[in-house]
Amino acid sequence: MSDCLFQRYRAHVLDVLRRIVPDISEDLLARVELTPTRDPAHGDMATNAALIAAKPARRKPADIAADIATSLLGVEGIASAEAAGPGFVNITLNHSVLQDVIPAVLKAGESFGDSQIGKGTKVNVEYVSCNPTGPIHVGHCRGAVVGDALANLLDKAGYDVTKEFYINDAGNQVAALAWATYWRYLQAIGSTMDAEAFNAITPNGLQYQGEYLIPIGQALAEAHGTSLAEDGAKPAPAEKWFTLVKDFAVARMMDGIREDLLTLGVKHDVFTSEAKVLADGVTDRAIKMLEAKGLLYEGVLEPPKGKLPDDWEARPQTLFRSTEFGDDVDRPLRKSDGTNTYFANDIGYHLDKIERGEQVLVDVLGADHGGYVSRMKAAVKALTDGKVALEILLCQIVHIVRDGQPVRMSKRAGTFVTLSDLLDEVGKDAVRFTMLTRKSDAQMEFDLDAVVAQTRDNPVFYVQYAHARCRSVLRAAEEMLGAEAVTSAALETVSLKALIADAEIALLRRIASWPRTIEGAAAAREPHRIAFYLGDLAADFHALWNRGRDETTLRFLQENDREGTLARVALVAATAMAIRSGLAVMGVEPVEEMR
RNA sequence: GCGCCCUUAGCUCAGUUGGAUAGAGCAACAGCCUUCUAAGCUGUGGGUCAAUGGUUCGAAUCCAUUAGGGCGCGCCA
């Protein structure tokens, strides 16, 4: 039996349609949908089959709909089917079909909703990938959560997923980190050089002046004493310390980043170093491949329109013909001094992923990388002749708000809000859930007060509260019926005939649509849909709970009705399981009770 | 100037890839607690889906143009 009701009955609809319109094409059949109805008055599910088939059959949609409806009446489990609106067929299922969802959920446990649409396709999801030059800050947080949830979602949908972090440890930024760390090291061994004095001797100037490098400098001093400096804590020539300090600082920064990510519940499978990709020669190989395809040339770019940089002058560079793959202008692979651009290294890195056998590459990036999308897609297309897809998810900016006022972030002054600050304040689960309550391509306000509020309008609270209520009912049921009567295994076999109230059916219908929610969200790469599904599921459960306030027969536990009580307890257990299954995708822990 | 993203109720946002009368929470209004289920619940009002044109059985959704907001735009990563 298929896990998904909608797939199962869609197959019946297709059978019927083939009989009524024998010569219908497979293309058209693929467009036939069976979807949950928005309005319960329209039954449990509706199909557009007649609307699709009307044109090739040269009949009115309503007539075909009527024929389909009549034939569907013979299908097991269908209580009624009728033509409606412009040519829909509304289907109402027997209560027993919806009730049978419960044992399926209880048997599957948290794997309820697992799908095979991914067919084991190897997908690499790269996310966070911040520079290892400072603590991870809130700007990276959304990408971290979205990437992680997307990876979980694709995994649940049957893809073979790798979670990956790219360490940008090869460019000017880490050189600047090394210099700044060295400054803190000199201070740690007694130098009194201030920022201004050190800035004067630093190539490109002293950049990272935040206090977070002070302990790193002290650690260097502990490990190496004064050996990295000249006598009297004076700066030594860079050759003497640069590589050592750089590697030391990057390693410490990555430790901190990894730790912060772990606190956020994010754990990557693979960390790939830009420096290592370079050292392995993958980047050179990628450039040679592009060259062999005739896609590189020496040229001079037009100056950018509008804002002309002050120091602009025409210089020849090695350019990649990205315009042949839909980009606006060709892009430089080498700077005028002959060294690689970041783009060139990134092409090498993507080739590395491709050579590892990844079939779909997903990059989760911040909105400030928007200008980067088309060139990187062009590069992957060029390298693989279009065989590997690169998908890029841009996460728009998050504005942190407190008391209705924006919280300022200034990286330069070192006073930016770090991820660990945010986690300390509102907790991992609230951060993760809230970051998934918007589609990622829309800007978002993150209200520090609202996300911890224990009120109806806080979706984190609302969903957790539903789960806690479920658990509370199950605990009470154990008390009343004995623990062995309410185990999952025991509840799989109870009679569910008592579950016929509207609110109970509505909840069952919602649970039944979890598998197709997973498939839709995975196909669209939209993890936020899981948050909204859980909100709806919680609303249905709370509605049922509240119905019991007025109508006592709808309360879950009834002393004088063992069969009905067991049926409702099974429903509650299935609801809790569906919530847990959804929270697992989001990386949020379900709570047992609210405090 | 160009490219990408966004614009849906007073506010914050959904809208299941083109489906039926566009939804939810907050706010507003009207009710509901000596709690076996009120950190809450029930009901009501609230819309030219930024604008215009197009595509078709059917458009908030796709295309074109326009307006407003965000991000980006050769040797930063």
Side-chain angles (χ1 to χ4, degrees):
Chain A
M1 180 187 88
S2 166
D3 202 15
C4 179
L5 275 186
F6 294 88
Q7 279 177 8
R8 198 156 91 218
Y9 283 96
R10 179 171 178 271
H12 288 302
V13 170
L14 293 183
D15 283 347
V16 166
L17 188 58
R18 281 200 190 92
R19 273 205 306 273
I20 295 173
V21 187
D23 53 348
I24 189 164
S25 72
E26 288 300 315
D27 279 357
L28 285 177
L29 285 176
R31 287 174 52 204
V32 171
E33 294 183 321
L34 185 64
T35 53
T37 54
R38 198 170 293 168
D39 183 347
H42 295 152
D44 294 313
M45 29 181 70
T47 179
N48 61 350
L51 291 161
I52 299 290
K55 197 177 270 183
R58 296 186 183 179
R59 296 176 57 193
K60 286 183 188 161
D63 292 346
I64 301 181
D67 287 354
I68 293 174
T70 307
S71 297
L72 282 175
L73 283 176
V75 174
E76 190 185 345
I78 291 183
S80 76
E82 50 193 35
F88 291 99
V89 179
N90 293 334
I91 298 169
T92 304
L93 299 170
N94 286 328
H95 287 334
S96 66
V97 174
L98 288 169
Q99 289 160 357
D100 285 344
V101 169
I102 290 177
V105 174
L106 294 177
K107 186 167 290 187
E110 275 189 30
S111 67
F112 172 54
D114 283 7
S115 161
Q116 292 310 315
I117 58 165
K119 297 174 189 157
T121 304
K122 280 175 72 71
V123 181
N124 182 292
V125 184
E126 181 208 329
Y127 55 106
V128 188
S129 297
C130 53
N131 292 335
T133 52
I136 187 164
H137 62 89
V138 292
H140 299 116
C141 182
R142 188 177 193 181
V145 172
V146 168
D148 204 53
L150 176 63
N152 293 341
L153 174 62
L154 292 174
D155 180 67
K156 196 171 179 64
Y159 293 86
D160 180 4
V161 179
T162 301
K163 300 179 175 181
E164 180 140 342
F165 185 115
Y166 182 47
I167 308 172
N168 298 133
D169 55 1
N172 295 333
Q173 300 303 314
V174 286
L177 173 74
W179 280 90
T181 307
Y182 188 63
W183 173 51
R184 293 301 191 181
Y185 160 76
L186 291 179
Q187 289 182 327
I189 60 171
S191 167
T192 54
M193 278 184 103
D194 61 10
E196 202 180 328
F198 196 81
N199 181 56
I201 64 161
T202 306
N204 304 318
L206 175 57
Q207 290 188 37
Y208 301 105
Q209 301 184 27
E211 294 181 355
Y212 60 88
L213 288 177
I214 293 176
I216 315 285
Q218 285 166 350
L220 262 176
E222 278 166 35
H224 298 279
T226 59
S227 67
L228 302 178
E230 302 289 333
D231 288 344
K234 296 261 180 1
E239 308 85 69
K240 191 172 169 191
W241 54 266
F242 182 80
T243 303
L244 186 152
V245 171
K246 186 190 76 179
D247 291 349
F248 188 91
V250 168
R252 288 305 181 96
M253 289 295 108
M254 283 307 300
D255 285 347
I257 288 168
R258 242 182 283 242
E259 193 177 314
D260 285 349
L261 287 175
L262 224 48
T263 311
L264 184 63
V266 171
K267 195 163 184 288
H268 292 86
D269 302 314
V270 176
F271 288 80
T272 299
S273 150
E274 179 182 2
K276 187 164 183 305
V277 170
L278 268 177
D280 288 351
V282 186
T283 304
D284 291 340
R285 198 155 66 243
I287 291 176
K288 286 208 180 74
M289 284 172 68
L290 294 176
E291 201 164 19
K293 290 171 191 280
L295 294 170
L296 302 188
Y297 67 100
E298 295 295 319
V300 177
L301 285 175
E302 294 286 309
K305 298 282 191 300
K307 287 178 209 163
L308 188 64
D310 301 337
D311 58 347
W312 194 91
E313 57 180 276
R315 290 167 197 162
Q317 292 174 286
T318 303
L319 300 174
F320 164 54
R321 294 187 195 277
S322 54
T323 45
E324 289 192 10
F325 302 89
D327 202 358
D328 305 321
V329 292
D330 292 337
R331 304 291 178 174
L333 291 190
R334 294 213 173 88
K335 306 173 190 174
S336 49
D337 66 5
T339 59
N340 288 348
T341 58
Y342 177 81
F343 177 47
N345 289 356
D346 214 10
I347 292 176
Y349 169 51
H350 280 78
L351 178 63
D352 184 56
K353 289 195 271 194
I354 291 161
E355 289 180 342
R356 278 184 260 147
E358 303 290 357
Q359 296 165 286
V360 177
L361 306 180
V362 181
D363 291 359
V364 180
L365 302 176
D368 53 344
H369 291 68
Y372 198 64
V373 172
S374 45
R375 80 185 68 170
M376 201 61 235
K377 283 188 170 178
V380 170
K381 199 182 276 180
L383 284 173
T384 67
D385 298 320
K387 290 194 187 72
V388 171
L390 172 64
E391 301 174 13
I392 296 184
L393 228 62
L394 288 182
C395 292
Q396 293 292 328
I397 296 179
V398 177
H399 296 286
I400 306 281
V401 174
R402 188 198 301 278
D403 301 328
Q405 296 297 316
V407 175
R408 288 298 175 92
M409 285 178 287
S410 166
K411 194 170 183 181
R412 202 157 302 157
T415 60
F416 52 95
V417 180
T418 63
L419 175 59
S420 72
D421 289 343
L422 182 66
L423 288 169
D424 284 348
E425 181 151 342
V426 300
K428 166 203 137 192
D429 288 336
V431 168
R432 290 191 67 123
F433 199 107
T434 306
M435 288 289 176
L436 291 167
T437 54
R438 298 278 181 280
K439 20 175 213 247
S440 49
D441 52 9
Q443 289 179 48
M444 160 175 193
E445 280 202 354
F446 190 100
D447 188 324
L448 292 171
D449 308 304
V451 299
V452 293
Q454 307 224 325
T455 57
R456 166 71 183 90
D457 54 320
N458 178 3
V460 192
F461 168 79
Y462 196 62
V463 170
Q464 290 282 30
Y465 192 24
H467 184 262
R469 273 183 162 172
C470 288
R471 301 299 299 168
S472 162
V473 170
L474 293 172
R475 284 192 296 269
E478 282 185 15
E479 195 102 333
M480 181 176 161
L481 303 163
E484 63 282 358
V486 292
T487 61
S488 258
L491 290 173
E492 277 176 39
T493 60
V494 302
S495 164
L496 300 167
K497 287 204 292 279
L499 301 177
I500 53 168
D502 287 348
E504 291 166 340
I505 294 298
L507 181 55
L508 282 171
R509 200 185 284 137
R510 183 78 64 189
I511 295 171
S513 67
W514 172 233
R516 73 183 299 281
T517 301
I518 283 289
E519 291 177 356
R525 319 290 195 235
E526 290 188 344
H528 76 277
R529 290 193 199 179
I530 307 306
F532 283 93
Y533 170 82
L534 287 177
D536 290 340
L537 176 61
D540 288 333
F541 178 75
H542 288 306
L544 176 57
W545 175 289
N546 292 325
R547 207 57 55 86
R549 193 199 310 267
D550 303 323
E551 200 178 332
T552 52
T553 58
L554 281 175
R555 293 184 183 180
F556 300 111
L557 307 179
Q558 309 279 347
E559 284 290 352
N560 53 1
D561 173 16
R562 188 180 167 88
E563 181 180 302
T565 296
L566 280 170
R568 285 184 292 272
V569 168
L571 173 61
V572 171
T575 304
M577 197 56 79
I579 294 175
R580 281 216 289 283
S581 173
L583 289 178
V585 173
M586 301 177 74
V588 173
E589 306 294 330
V591 300
E592 292 295 305
E593 53 187 337
M594 306 305 289
R595 293 177 184 280

